[in-house]
Amino acid sequence: MRKIILYTLGVIILVVAVVVSYLLVTAEDQKKPATRKEVKTVFIDTVMNSTIPIIIPANGNLAAKERVEVYAEVQGIFRYSSHPFKPGQAFRKGEVLMRIDAAEYAASVQSAKSSLYNLITAAMPDLRLDYPEAYPKWQAYLTDFDLENSTPELPEISSEKERYFINGRNIVTTYYNVKNLEQRLYKYVIRAPFNGVLTEALVTEGSLVRPGQKLGAYINPSIYELEVAVNKSYSDFLKVGEAVKLQNLEGTQEFTGMVARINASVNQQSQTVSVFIDVQDERVKEGMYLQAQIEGRSEENAFEISRKLLNDQKELFIVRDSVLDILSVRPVYFSDKTAVIRGIADGTVILARPVPGAYAGMTVKTYRDTTNIAEATNIKQLP
C-alpha cells in the first residue's frame, strides 16, 4: 500500500508539473494587446499680423500738482482767518489763510518810516539852495508820503552831485531799510496763492506761531499728478501728451490722464524712469492709488500672445498637418501676461493655450479657440 500511495503521488506531481509547464509556454506565445495611442486635443489660433499698441502697465499714488506747505516766517499770535483754519476748508485766491498779530512790529515800521521822512525834510532847505532844479520832485515826494501806506519809491536822481548829496544824508540807506521792514511786515498775513483746500492744519486761532513752524498744507484740488516708475527699456516707447487710461485698485472706477513729463535721469538702484501723469477728475483725491496703462508707440506687423506660450529659447509651438512643430520668433515687448512678437507669417496656426508635455512631432487634434487670448490666459485689461 505504501508503494502504491507513493507511485500515485509521483504520478500526480508529474501531471501537475506538465500542465503548469504547458500553461507557461502557451502564455508566452500569446500576443500582447496593442497599446492605444492617445491623441491630445489642443486649442489653436491663426496668426493675423497687425499694428499692436504697446501698453505699459504702471501704478502709483496721486499727489496734488499745486501743493503748498504753509510755514511761518515771523513770530506772533494767530489772530484771524477768512474761514475756519481746519482741514477740508476751501479758500479763494487772495483770501487770508492766517493773520498773525503784528502790532508791535508795525509800530517799529512806522518809526522807521518817520525817520526817513524826517531825514528828507531836514535836507530840503539845502536841496532848495544848492539844487533848485531837483527841489520840486522831492517836495512832491514829501507831499505824497503817507505813514499809513507803503513807502513810495524815491524820486529819480538826475545828476551825480544830487546823488552825492542824497547819499551823504543817509536817505537811500534809510529808504531801503524801511522797505525791508515793510516786506517783513507783509509776512504777518498769509494769503491763499490759488483757489484750493486746506488739507492739514497744525495750529488754531490764539496759538503762538514761531518762525520756521509748519502751519499746514494747502492744495489745488482741480488737478493732480500721478508719478509712476517705468522700466528703462520701455522709456523709448513713451511720449509727452499721450492719453493714459487709469483705474482704481478695485477696478470700479476709470479715469483718463495725460503724460505731462518724463524724467531725463534713470534711477540707479531700480533702473526705472519716472513718468508724471496729469489727472483732472472730480472723483479723485490726493493719496489715491491708481493703476495706469500707458500707451507707447505702436508695433507694426506684429502679433500678441500669452507669455506662457513662449519657452526660454523664445520659441513657440505651431501646428502643421495635426503635428506640433517649433518656431523661433522675435519678441519686441513683454508685459506681465502677454508678449508682442514678430517673425510669424500670416495664416500660421499656433497653440492658443499651453499643452503640458508637448514636443515637436507630437500628433494632436485641433480645436479652434473662439475666446479672446486675454480671457484664455486670465488677463484683465482696461477697455
Side-chain angles (χ1 to χ4, degrees):
M1 289 297 294
R2 183 181 299 171
K3 291 181 178 180
I4 294 172
I5 293 172
L6 292 174
Y7 289 148
T8 303
L9 289 174
V11 172
I12 293 173
I13 293 172
L14 182 61
V15 172
V16 171
V18 172
V19 173
V20 170
S21 300
Y22 176 77
L23 292 176
L24 291 175
V25 172
T26 53
E28 292 179 357
D29 294 338
Q30 292 179 358
K31 295 182 179 180
K32 296 181 179 180
T35 58
R36 184 178 179 181
K37 188 174 182 180
E38 182 181 358
V39 179
K40 289 186 177 182
T41 300
V42 296
F43 292 90
I44 62 171
D45 192 10
T46 302
V47 174
M48 294 298 294
N49 290 300
S50 61
T51 301
I52 304 295
I54 302 299
I55 305 298
I56 304 171
N59 53 68
N61 293 94
L62 279 177
K65 191 170 184 177
E66 292 184 322
R67 178 184 180 87
V68 176
E69 300 288 340
V70 184
Y71 283 87
E73 297 184 65
V74 295
Q75 180 170 319
I77 303 298
F78 176 16
R79 292 299 187 192
Y80 168 79
S81 178
S82 297
H83 304 284
F85 196 79
K86 303 289 184 181
Q89 179 62 53
F91 289 82
R92 302 289 295 176
K93 181 179 180 179
E95 289 186 331
V96 177
L97 288 176
M98 178 179 295
R99 185 184 296 276
I100 301 172
D101 187 4
E104 181 179 353
Y105 189 80
S108 65
V109 174
Q110 292 295 88
S111 176
K113 291 170 69 175
S114 179
S115 297
L116 174 63
Y117 185 85
N118 292 336
L119 282 176
I120 298 175
T121 302
M124 290 302 290
D126 294 336
L127 191 64
R128 184 173 185 177
L129 293 175
D130 298 336
Y131 308 99
E133 70 282 357
Y135 179 81
K137 61 183 178 183
W138 286 97
Q139 183 61 45
Y141 181 81
L142 288 178
T143 303
D144 296 335
F145 198 99
D146 187 353
L147 294 177
E148 300 300 327
N149 296 326
S150 176
T151 303
E153 187 176 352
L154 290 177
E156 184 179 355
I157 298 176
S158 55
S159 66
E160 287 296 324
K161 292 182 178 181
E162 181 185 355
R163 185 185 305 278
Y164 295 149
F165 177 81
I166 296 299
N167 288 335
R169 296 301 180 96
N170 204 32
I171 294 175
V172 175
T173 301
T174 306
Y175 167 79
Y176 283 110
N177 287 336
V178 171
K179 297 301 288 185
N180 181 51
L181 294 175
E182 286 183 340
Q183 288 298 321
R184 188 165 183 81
L185 181 62
Y186 295 149
K187 297 177 180 180
Y188 281 82
V189 179
I190 303 175
R191 298 185 180 274
F194 45 78
N195 296 341
V197 176
L198 196 67
T199 60
E200 187 180 14
L202 303 179
V203 294
T204 57
E205 292 188 16
S207 302
L208 175 62
V209 177
R210 295 180 174 85
Q213 179 182 351
K214 184 178 179 180
L215 307 176
Y218 185 76
I219 68 168
N220 181 355
S222 62
I223 181 168
Y224 294 90
E225 192 172 66
L226 179 68
E227 180 181 358
V228 296
V230 176
N231 192 287
K232 173 183 173 294
S233 59
Y234 302 151
S235 60
D236 294 339
F237 297 149
L238 305 178
K239 297 179 182 178
V240 174
E242 289 287 340
V244 180
K245 294 180 180 179
L246 308 166
Q247 66 176 8
N248 61 356
L249 185 61
E250 296 78 14
T252 57
Q253 292 180 315
E254 296 179 2
F255 315 97
T256 301
M258 183 185 69
V259 178
R261 305 189 311 279
I262 301 174
N263 200 336
S265 65
V266 178
N267 188 304
Q268 295 182 359
Q269 296 180 346
S270 61
Q271 288 297 297
T272 57
V273 176
S274 296
V275 179
F276 300 89
I277 303 170
D278 286 350
V279 184
Q280 290 183 331
D281 196 298
E282 295 180 352
R283 298 172 294 171
V284 298
K285 303 292 183 184
E286 189 177 43
M288 191 174 178
Y289 183 86
L290 293 181
Q291 296 175 333
Q293 287 196 346
I294 307 172
E295 183 175 342
R297 72 180 186 188
S298 296
E299 193 69 34
E300 298 182 356
N301 195 28
F303 191 70
E304 188 173 15
I305 63 172
S306 170
R307 291 188 62 168
K308 296 179 181 179
L309 299 178
L310 287 176
N311 59 19
D312 296 337
Q313 288 74 38
K314 299 178 181 179
E315 300 171 334
L316 57 79
F317 284 103
I318 63 174
V319 181
R320 293 176 177 170
D321 299 329
S322 300
V323 177
L324 293 184
D325 196 2
I326 294 179
L327 178 67
S328 296
V329 295
R330 182 165 64 90
V332 294
Y333 173 75
F334 286 101
S335 67
D336 293 340
K337 300 293 184 180
T338 64
V340 178
I341 60 176
R342 300 185 66 179
I344 306 180
D346 288 339
T348 303
V349 179
I350 65 173
L351 294 183
R353 302 183 187 183
V355 177
Y359 58 90
M362 179 179 178
T363 303
V364 294
K365 291 182 180 180
T366 59
Y367 178 80
R368 185 161 299 277
D369 192 0
T370 58
T371 61
N372 187 277
I373 295 178
E375 296 176 357
T377 54
N378 295 323
I379 302 171
K380 184 177 181 181
Q381 298 182 350
L382 288 175

